[in-house]
Each structure stands twice: as C-alpha cells, then as structure tokens.
Amino acid sequence: MAEQLPRAVELVRRLRSIREVAEVLDGEGELFPYEADAFTLLRGRALAVVFPLSARAVQEIVLACNAAGTSYVARGAGTGLSGGATPVDGCVLIEFSRMNRVLEIDVTNRTAVVEPGVINADLSEMVAPLGLHYAPDPSSQSACTIGGNIAENSGGPHTLKYGTTSPHVLEIEVVLPDATLVKLGRRDGHCAGYDLRGLFVGSEGTLGLVTCATVRLVPDPETVCTLLASFSSLVGACEAVAGIIASGVLPAALELLDDRTIEAVEASVYAAGYPRDARAVLLIELDGAAQGVAEERECVERVCRERQAIDVRAAVDEAERAALWRGRKGAFGAMGRLAPDLYVHDAVVPRTRLPEVVAEINEAAARRGLRLANILHAGDGNLHPNISFDRRDANQLQRVREMGEEILRICIEAGGVLSGEHGIGIEKRDYMRMLFDECDLEPMRWVHDAFDPEDRCNPGKLIPTPRACAESNPRHRGYAKVEF
Amino acid sequence: MQPFAAIVGTEYVQPPSAPTFGGAKLEAVVRPGSPEEVAACLGAARSEGIPVIATGGGSKLHWGNPPDVSALALLDLGRLNAAPELQPEEGIATAEAGVRVDALARAAAERGSCTSLADIFPQATVGGTIAADPPSPTHSVERRARNDLLGLEVALPTGELTRAGGKVVKNVTGFDLVRLYCGSLGTLGVITSATLRLRSLPGARRVLRRDFDELGAALSAATELMQTPLELAGVALEPGSEGWGLVWLLEGGETSVAEFAGRFAGDPASDEDWRAVGREIGESERVNGHARVRLGARPSDTRSLCQQLQRLAGDRSLRVVLPRAGLAFADVPAEALPELWRETESRGWSLFLEHLPVGLEYDVFGPEPAGLPVMRALKHRFDPDRVLAPGRYVGRI
Ligand SMILES: Cc1cc2nc3c(=O)[nH]c(=O)nc-3n(C[C@H](O)[C@H](O)[C@H](O)COP(=O)(O)OP(=O)(O)OC[C@H]3O[C@@H](n4cnc5c(N)ncnc54)[C@H](O)[C@@H]3O)c2cc1C
C-alpha cells in the first residue's frame, strides 16, 4: 500500500500531461458522483476521472494505466442499470462525454460517423431534417451515449421492428487493452473474418474502448399511427399481444404498462391520459405506407376488441402521440417519485409466458410487501419489473435484493434469460450461473482473454470468476457491498 | 480412425468420396448421430491430433483456404436432422445443424412463417449456412441473416457441448458469442443446433423488373429505385441475353405492396425471376481458369465495382449485382486477379474468392482485415491445437 501511493500520484500526473485530455478530476467531492451508474446498490471509488478529447488521448491514457498496472473503466452518461460504468476501486474512469462530435453524415448510404459521447437523441435530432433517424431508442435516449449503447447493445420500444443496437452498428473504432487502435467491422458491412464488431457490441466495456463508430440511419416512416388500448386484465392485454403478432402485423412498438405504472405516470408530470381504471394498457405503434398502416390499424383494433379491450383509441395528432410516448418514456422517472429509490429490473421470457410470469412476480412482491410496477416491451417478451423502495430501511433493502433474485429465477424457469437490454455488469454477474454452466462461460473467458489478457479493462464485470477463485468474498474485484 | 469409431460406431466412419481435400489426405468421413457425439469427436480429434473439417450439405465446403495439414477427417453433421421445433407464437425456430435449409423453410411455411436463412444453395444445411453466413438475394446493409440468429449449441475442441444465446428474441446475457460463431466457418467450434427468429410469411409478394441495353442504365435505375420511398425486400441486377435486367422484390401486406408497386413502375415478373437471381449466387459450377469472385463495397460504390470488374474481366464476367448491399459476383480470369487484388486494396473494398483455379496462391478472404491479430488470439484460445479446419480461415488461421 505504502508504495502504491506515489505510483498513483505519478499516474494522475501523467494523465494530466496528456495533451488532448480536457480534464482530470481526483478530489474527494469530485469523485463522488462517479461512484456508480444508475444501478446504485454497489459502488466503487476511482483514483481519478479523466475526460479524453481524441482517440490518441484514449490510447495514451491506456498506455499510462498499463504502465502503472492500474485498471480503467469507460463511462458514457452513467445511465447504465447494471453497474457497467461503476468504477473498480482505485481505477481510472474514462469519461467520454467530451468526445461528442458527429463527424460525418452520408445520406446516400444512410450512415453516420460519430464519436462515442454523442447522445442518442441528439443524433436523431440532427438528422431529422434529412428524413432520417437513429433507430435504437432506449427510454434514456435524451441522456445516454452511443458509446454506452454499443457497450450494452441497448434496445428500446422500437426494437421489436427495428432491432437492438447491434444491427445498427457497422464499424467501431476501438482502443484495445494493448493501446492499439483498430477498426472492427467495416462501414460497408463486408468484413472478412470473425465478426469482431458483433462480438464487441454488448461487451459492456470489457474488451476495449470505443472512440468512433459508423452507425446506420433509418428513413423516417411515411405514416405513423399510435394506438392506446386499455384492458381490464393484464392477461387480456397479453393475449392481445399474442393475437396481434399471430395476425402477421409487425408493429414498430408494442409496449405494455400495468396498473401501478399507469397510476405512477398519471400522477406525475408525464401524465399521458392513460385510463386510471384500466388494469393494463398497450401502446401500439404502426408505421409504413399510409394505406397499409390504415389496414393494420383495423386489424389491431379488431384483435384488441376480441380480447375484451375496454377501449382502443388512436392519437389524433402529433401532440397526442408525443404525449402517449412521454408517459411511457417518463414512466421510470414517474416511479422515482414514489419512493427514494427505484430498482429497474430487466429480464426476458418467451413472450407467451408473460401473463403467468408477471402474475408470479407480482405475487412474490406482494408476499414481500414490496411495491412493484411493470413495464413490458411485450412484443419481445422483455419485462421491466420496477421496485420502489427506501434503501435506508435495511430490512426493506434485503427484501429488494431477494426479490431481484426471485425475478430472475421465475424468468429462467419460464425459459427466459437474465437480461434483454440492461446487461449483466456487476448487478447480475454472479447470477450468470443460473443460466449457464461453467463450460458455457469458458468461451466467454477465452474471448476476454484474447482481448484483455492483463484483465485491466473494466475488470470484474459480466463474467463470474471461475468457481475456485470466487470464494465468497464480497470485496473481490474492489466492489464493496455498501451498507445504506 | 479408431477413436472416432468408438464414439459413432464403425458403420458411421466411412471412406471419403475423394482421396484428398485441398492437398491433405482425407482419412475418413465421420458421421456423428447426436450433439454429444459431435463434442466427443472433437475431444478425440484434439487428443489424437487428427484435424477435422465440419460439413453439412457440402455446398460451401470449397469456401476457404486449403488446409495446412497433411491429413484430416471430415465431420459430417448430416445425421443431426431431427424435425425442427417451430414456435411461431414465440417467433422462434430451433433446428439441428444437419436439417436442410429448404426443409426448414417448407416446415416454417406450413406454419405461416419463414426464417431469414439463405435458401439458395442446393443441399445446404442450417449449421453450414450459419457457419458460412453467405449473402442471399435479399441481403443488404440492413437485412442480414446473422441479425436473426438467437441461440446456438456449439461443440468445442475441449470435447464439451456449450450453449450461446438463448431461445428468446432479445438477449444481452454475456458476450454475444452467437455473432462470433456465425460466419466462422467451423474454425472455433462446430454448431450442432440453432435457434432462429421466425417471422410471419408476408401476406403479399411481388416481383417486378425492367430491362436495359446496358449495365450503366440499369444501375441508374437501381439508384432511383432505392431512393424512392418504398420498402424493398430485395434488388438485383442480372445480365440477360442482350442486356441487363433490374429485378426487385416487394413483400408485406397486400395493400402496402400494391401501393409500393405503383410508385416505381416495372413489368410484372415471376417468382422464378427472383429465384434465378438466387441461383446465380448459390450455384457453384466453375468456369475454367476463372476465379469466382464476390466483391463488396458501400452501396454508393456499386457502379465503380461493376466498372472495374468489366474493365478487368470483360463485359460478360458479371453474374449478378446486389446494389443495396454493394455486392457484385463475377467470374474473373486468373490473369486479372493480381490487378483486382490491388484495386481492392487501394479502394478499401472487400474481396472473397469462392473458387480459385488450382495452383493460385491467394488468401481467398482477400486483403488482410483490420483486427487480424485479435482474430488469431481468439483462434488460439478456442482451438489451441488447431484441430478445426486448420489454415482454412482468414489469414490462414
Ligand atoms: C431511466 C432509464 C431508462 C432506460 N431505458 C433503457 C431502455 O429503454 N433500453 C435500454 O437498453 N437501456 C435503457 N436504460 C439503460 C441505459 O440507459 C443504457 O444501458 C445505455 O446504453 C447506457 O448508456 P450510457 O452512455 O449512460 O453508458 P454508461 O452507463 O456510462 O456505460 C454503460 C456501459 O458502457 C461502457 N461504455 C461507455 N462508453 C464506452 C466507450 N466509449 N467504450 C467502451 N465502453 C463504453 C461502460 O463501461 C459501461 O459498461 C435506461 C436507463 C435509465 C436510467
């Protein structure tokens, strides 16, 4: 320890000397906001937070960390929900928000070249006059960065029709853990050899640092029709989801909000006019050519009514459509008002299992006396059970943790997986064995080892350590289980 | 071959139909009957030091560099062909590696569904198609079969059977190994079964075409077509007896398809016209002394791709062009290859040589891709003893 101290000081000095670094923070108070991302149950303390301005600077930061034998962790906007950007104690946190230029927009090939700190919604806003947009639309899109989206393979309501981040990323410029700069994939999509681009997307910042990316832009749909269907039961709403998909209509989005979510939204500034007496609403968006959309709308309305919808209505204008979406995208914020803390869960099940899975999750929460509200990307079988709680109540916190584990158990028993879009990070790392055997995890370790043999790039995330070394040491890898 | 016989039974270790493969002696064709047997065979291959090349229907077995070993065995996955499990209500289908793609397509169609696996290579299997990740006529920058792959079961040289991905339509649980295995041509592991996205069959389908005297005019029309606001399922240019045909496919709801068909005029054509495009890509008869070439670039570079191919290989060298994908398929005479290689490198295009005339020493994957050192490191971790198709992949990995 005694000899580490000068080395840390030396490292910070070296970081400060890098030309294209905007700033280096290392004061007590300055580091506090960076102790966790939006998953706040575990925290870590970085040695310093550094703000690079160029790929060259990122390379130099990595070289400096390697020379000092210090780990480093990338951070975009810190909206991640699985602790991906949470620092390992004593690491260098590389914050990408200042690398936020859109470098090129190619209308003919419908691509954009962006730095990793570009905010998701800003890119869409910028290309809107060209009739284009960036399709992956996480609810956090007004804050989260493209770099973070790539690292998490983020999704959003429109993933059902347009896919998650991965198919929208063509080429990624990356600083590898040996500090070399390399392009993975190609902007034309014809890369020879292993699909390193596909492998990198969703790797949660553990294989290298994104410094630039070529992403696809999608033409805006000609016509959009947003419907709100309300139901007197959650099962009815889920059956309508199954019915719509069976009809052959592929909506752009098919979102389900349960009664608790409706209640929270309607009591907040995001109030969207969702009926408070409904047990569930479906937000259904159809897009395409005008006549086709009109026909699909008829079909969807029929399916909903056959499944006992109380009401089905379409947004009459852009303002109403925006309001319906504001309610959905603001739902997490609305829930945030209900209690000091909110735990946003994420798991996926085969979509026909949704009614029983949600019922089981609701019962389990009721048994534990927890307040839980559900938002579902129902068309994809992706559910977000959200628990409002107060971390100052140790007993409640314990129940929240147990509930998290129970949600995963229920989903996996139904044939599901641990995460649909928020990733594994530190939140679910030790639950990976609920789904995978040790031999399924080995190839992930090989991948990691091929990119980062020294294990310095966001260590301790995503892959559980092999059984023998894990022991039951809560502090291993530097994450303290903080007592609140 | 005794170790393999002990696993699969002597009747399933068969003499090969040819004595050699790419210069290596072919010892036998081993035909495991279950995923577990595939895994055990890989374990044996490793412990006994006998390299293997996995094969399905054999339609793309010639893709790749010659193996750099003196002897090997073929691992034929054809017996892994249990009836596929189709769950249209969940949007997924699971099939063993040896199931033929056309059989899967038929089974899916009976349930009103389809997958996006290319169904253009005669005899092709699910496992082989995923491992080779070939382009199909509907291939484009945004529409690729690899995006619709959800889960894989993969046998590894450790002798273990492993799972990647899952049986759900959305999943970020750990590294995306599914994308890594797809297109790896069996050099990291052997796919034993796959879960794919199943979509509803489109309610309507229409093929339209326009004919032109020369390629330039056809390309201009293609550009115009691609700028017209309509949802295209596929666009192709193909040489006819006297000129060039622009063929496009519309798919979707009846009303939308009718609406889109009205926006860009074309003569009605048949499904057969569209299938003909697929045959040009999928069928592999060779032209003597020529290399079968796939050249790729950005969609906006399609015209210069074609011009270069015409200049270097003559007017009749082009077989088919997919302008939305920026891909051109051609037969190029051996003597034109050095210049094509140089052009590819200097313009930053991509080149794949599906067939190479005997005696030519090219890496069939074209100029070295960025990231090759990482690819080598991956190969080394997954297959340290080089038992899976050694020497055949990019950079002769
Ligand atoms: C209210 C709310 C709603 C949300 N809704 C959604 C949703 O609908 N869908 C969804 O998928 N997610 C959602 N999320 C989660 C989160 O917004 C996404 O995971 C997002 O992609 C994270 O982006 P970020 O810029 O905040 O990244 P961060 O949280 O800062 O980092 C996320 C991961 O990316 C890595 N990283 C960041 N930048 C780089 C880089 N340049 N190079 C390499 N690695 C990097 C980090 O190390 C970390 O592992 C939501 C979060 C909140 C708080």
Side-chain angles (χ1 to χ4, degrees):
Chain A
M1 267 309 190
E3 63 171 10
Q4 260 180 15
L5 222 51
R7 197 190 286 188
V9 173
E10 174 50 34
L11 175 56
V12 173
R13 190 176 307 138
R14 183 161 166 188
L15 293 174
R16 289 213 162 95
S17 74
I18 298 172
R19 268 190 48 205
E20 287 167 330
V21 157
E23 204 176 351
V24 179
L25 306 178
D26 67 344
E28 272 295 299
E30 291 172 325
L31 295 175
F32 177 73
Y34 297 96
E35 283 189 349
D37 58 12
F39 170 73
T40 54
L41 294 189
L42 295 173
R43 291 171 178 273
R45 174 55 68 110
L47 167 70
V49 184
V50 46
F51 297 78
L53 294 170
S54 69
R56 178 73 223 145
V58 176
Q59 285 179 286
E60 288 185 36
I61 294 166
V62 171
L63 282 173
C65 289
N66 286 349
T70 301
S71 312
Y72 48 91
V73 176
R75 180 178 167 110
T79 66
L81 285 164
S82 54
T86 299
V88 184
D89 282 343
C91 78
V92 169
L93 192 66
I94 308 174
E95 222 274 13
F96 281 94
S97 60
R98 314 273 172 99
M99 284 176 71
N100 61 351
R101 288 174 304 166
V102 174
L103 301 175
E104 183 195 303
I105 288 168
D106 176 341
V107 179
T108 315
N109 293 298
R110 293 185 190 136
T111 54
V113 180
V114 299
E115 289 187 327
V118 167
I119 290 173
N120 176 305
D122 288 356
L123 177 58
S124 284
E125 202 172 302
M126 185 168 192
V127 297
L130 304 167
L132 298 169
H133 67 285
Y134 178 62
D137 61 337
S139 303
S140 52
Q141 70 188 137
S142 56
C144 65
T145 64
I146 303 283
N149 295 169
I150 291 174
E152 299 290 353
N153 192 10
S154 299
H158 290 82
T159 294
L160 179 62
K161 182 165 178 181
Y162 294 96
T164 57
T165 297
S166 184
H168 294 275
V169 176
L170 296 171
E171 182 181 272
I172 321 172
E173 183 190 79
V174 172
V175 173
L176 293 174
D178 66 2
T180 53
L181 190 68
V182 65
K183 285 187 171 152
L184 311 179
R186 279 168 55 111
R187 59 187 185 159
D188 60 15
H190 307 304
C191 195
Y194 301 131
D195 183 7
L196 301 181
R197 171 213 64 86
L199 180 62
F200 193 94
V201 177
S203 62
E204 303 188 8
T206 64
L207 301 182
L209 306 163
V210 180
T211 51
C212 186
T214 305
V215 299
R216 285 176 42 216
L217 300 172
V218 175
D220 293 342
E222 288 173 55
T223 318
V224 180
C225 171
T226 308
L227 297 162
L228 183 75
S230 33
F231 294 83
S232 55
S233 76
L234 188 98
V235 174
C238 289
E239 282 175 354
V241 169
I244 291 167
I245 285 172
S247 76
V249 172
L250 179 63
L254 187 43
E255 302 281 295
L256 190 155
L257 287 74
D258 74 355
D259 46 0
R260 308 239 169 133
T261 306
I262 297 170
E263 195 183 303
V265 169
E266 289 307 311
S268 76
V269 291
Y270 306 105
Y274 301 154
R276 284 174 183 252
D277 55 345
R279 297 303 299 272
V281 293
L282 287 182
L283 194 57
I284 309 158
E285 190 151 281
L286 304 167
D287 69 10
Q291 286 178 33
V293 167
E295 202 172 79
E296 289 186 352
R297 175 181 164 181
E298 263 174 48
C299 172
V300 165
E301 288 192 355
R302 191 175 58 246
V303 170
C304 288
R305 292 197 199 287
E306 279 166 9
R307 267 72 174 185
Q308 267 72 55
I310 316 170
D311 184 37
V312 190
R313 70 181 166 90
V316 292
D317 54 21
E318 189 48 38
E320 194 177 350
R321 174 175 174 254
L324 288 178
W325 276 112
R326 199 165 49 243
R328 162 61 187 83
K329 295 206 170 174
F332 296 113
M335 285 174 201
R337 291 175 57 255
L338 303 180
D341 299 288
L342 180 70
Y343 191 176
V344 180
H345 272 276
D346 168 45
V348 189
V349 295
R351 60 191 170 209
T352 61
R353 305 292 299 271
L354 282 175
E356 61 199 273
V357 164
V358 172
E360 209 179 322
I361 288 172
N362 285 346
E363 273 165 37
R367 263 201 316 277
R368 289 187 174 78
L370 294 173
R371 187 181 185 131
L372 184 146
N374 291 287
I375 299 179
L376 282 65
H377 302 300
D380 285 322
N382 188 186
L383 41 121
H384 295 312
N386 307 295
I387 310 172
S388 306
F389 69 104
D390 184 347
R391 74 174 68 195
R392 290 165 302 190
D393 176 345
N395 175 281
Q396 201 182 106
L397 185 62
Q398 180 56 23
R399 281 178 283 138
V400 169
R401 287 216 171 93
E402 285 166 14
M403 185 64 211
E405 203 168 318
E406 172 100 23
I407 289 171
L408 296 179
R409 190 192 55 72
I410 293 169
C411 291
I412 286 171
E413 276 174 12
V417 297
L418 297 177
S419 175
E421 49 183 31
H422 295 167
I424 301 302
I426 40 176
E427 180 205 11
K428 292 177 180 165
R429 181 194 61 200
D430 296 335
Y431 298 131
M432 285 285 271
R433 289 194 182 85
M434 288 169 94
L435 189 65
F436 291 122
D437 292 336
E438 208 57 41
C439 70
D440 303 324
L441 295 170
E442 268 310 288
M444 295 195 198
R445 295 197 185 103
W446 298 337
V447 165
H448 183 259
D449 198 39
F451 279 83
D452 183 21
E454 306 287 334
D455 197 17
R456 281 206 193 99
C457 185
N458 209 1
K461 310 286 173 76
L462 190 139
I463 314 175
T465 17
R467 278 249 185 255
C469 347
E471 305 299 346
S472 55
N473 176 5
R475 290 200 66 97
H476 98 271
R477 304 278 200 186
Y479 302 106
K481 293 220 178 203
V482 177
E483 298 308 325
F484 299 100
Chain B
M1 292 298 104
Q2 178 46 35
F4 294 127
I7 297 162
V8 301
T10 40
E11 68 273 40
Y12 292 115
V13 177
Q14 296 164 349
S17 56
T20 59
F21 181 91
K25 178 167 184 278
L26 256 191
E27 303 271 10
V29 179
V30 181
R31 307 186 64 225
S34 68
E36 290 74 17
E37 285 186 10
V38 177
C41 285
L42 294 192
R46 185 175 184 185
S47 58
E48 304 293 324
I50 311 169
V52 293
I53 293 179
T55 173
S59 65
K60 294 174 278 304
L61 189 55
H62 57 285
W63 287 19
N65 292 310
D68 60 4
V69 288
S70 56
L72 50 78
L74 282 185
L75 195 63
D76 178 347
L77 282 282
R79 286 176 68 212
L80 267 64
N81 65 348
E85 191 188 307
L86 300 165
Q87 295 172 275
E89 62 293 350
E90 304 294 7
I92 61 171
T94 302
E96 284 194 321
V99 169
R100 278 177 50 163
V101 173
D102 54 1
L104 175 63
R106 275 196 304 275
E110 277 168 24
R111 306 285 303 272
S113 310
C114 58
T115 74
S116 30
L117 286 187
D119 183 14
I120 54 171
F121 298 86
Q123 318 286 325
T125 59
V126 168
T129 304
I130 293 167
D133 190 28
S136 75
T138 53
H139 186 106
S140 71
V141 178
E142 58 259 38
R143 190 157 148 166
R144 303 200 52 179
R146 63 165 47 248
N147 299 339
D148 279 358
L149 201 53
L150 304 171
L152 291 176
E153 184 185 66
V154 177
L156 296 174
T158 52
E160 284 165 325
L161 201 56
T162 62
R163 285 182 309 139
K167 292 188 174 184
V168 289
V169 297
K170 199 172 173 192
N171 188 356
V172 292
T173 310
F175 290 138
D176 194 351
L177 298 176
V178 170
R179 248 43 60 187
L180 175 63
Y181 290 125
C182 177
S184 68
L185 283 170
T187 59
L188 298 175
V190 174
I191 297 165
T192 53
S193 89
T195 300
L196 306 151
R197 191 185 282 273
L198 207 54
R199 298 182 191 278
S200 296
L201 270 178
R205 190 181 153 90
R206 204 179 289 193
V207 184
L208 295 165
R209 72 175 293 144
R210 270 199 212 171
D211 289 287
F212 299 86
D213 289 342
E214 46 115 36
L215 180 58
L219 278 164
S220 302
T223 306
E224 203 189 318
L225 168 67
M226 293 188 296
Q227 280 164 0
T228 308
L230 39 83
E231 287 167 26
L232 284 163
V235 184
L237 294 145
E238 50 169 10
S241 48
E242 10 223 270
W244 279 82
L246 168 65
V247 191
W248 65 101
L249 174 70
L250 299 171
E251 280 181 346
E254 195 94 45
T255 321
S256 304
V257 166
E259 193 171 336
F260 291 140
R263 290 189 192 170
F264 192 85
D267 302 324
S270 66
D271 251 4
E272 178 48 31
D273 287 81
W274 188 251
R275 273 197 297 274
V277 175
R279 275 200 300 276
E280 282 302 318
I281 300 173
E283 284 183 1
S284 55
E285 96 280 2
R286 300 166 196 221
V287 180
N288 238 341
H290 285 59
R292 168 68 62 79
V293 162
R294 189 207 300 161
L295 203 57
R298 303 215 287 178
S300 60
D301 291 336
T302 309
R303 186 181 295 268
S304 41
L305 280 189
C306 295
Q307 283 167 345
Q308 285 304 321
L309 282 167
Q310 282 180 316
R311 183 176 72 80
L312 292 169
D315 247 6
R316 308 303 297 172
S317 65
L318 276 161
R319 300 172 57 94
V320 66
V321 179
L322 302 178
R324 271 202 326 160
L327 281 177
F329 301 76
D331 290 315
V332 174
E335 56 279 12
L337 284 177
E339 196 176 345
L340 181 63
W341 188 282
R342 279 194 299 275
E343 284 291 333
T344 304
E345 254 182 333
S346 70
R347 292 171 187 258
W349 291 344
S350 80
L351 175 65
F352 179 60
L353 304 164
E354 284 182 23
H355 275 306
L356 202 55
V358 210
L360 291 187
E361 287 276 318
Y362 285 98
D363 183 328
V364 302
F365 295 90
E368 198 173 286
L372 188 59
V374 180
M375 295 182 198
R376 286 191 202 287
L378 283 166
K379 171 71 174 176
H380 180 67
R381 264 53 170 204
F382 278 74
D383 183 22
D385 299 319
R386 301 184 81 240
V387 292
L388 296 171
R392 296 207 71 202
Y393 203 51
V394 177
R396 303 184 197 269
I397 278 174

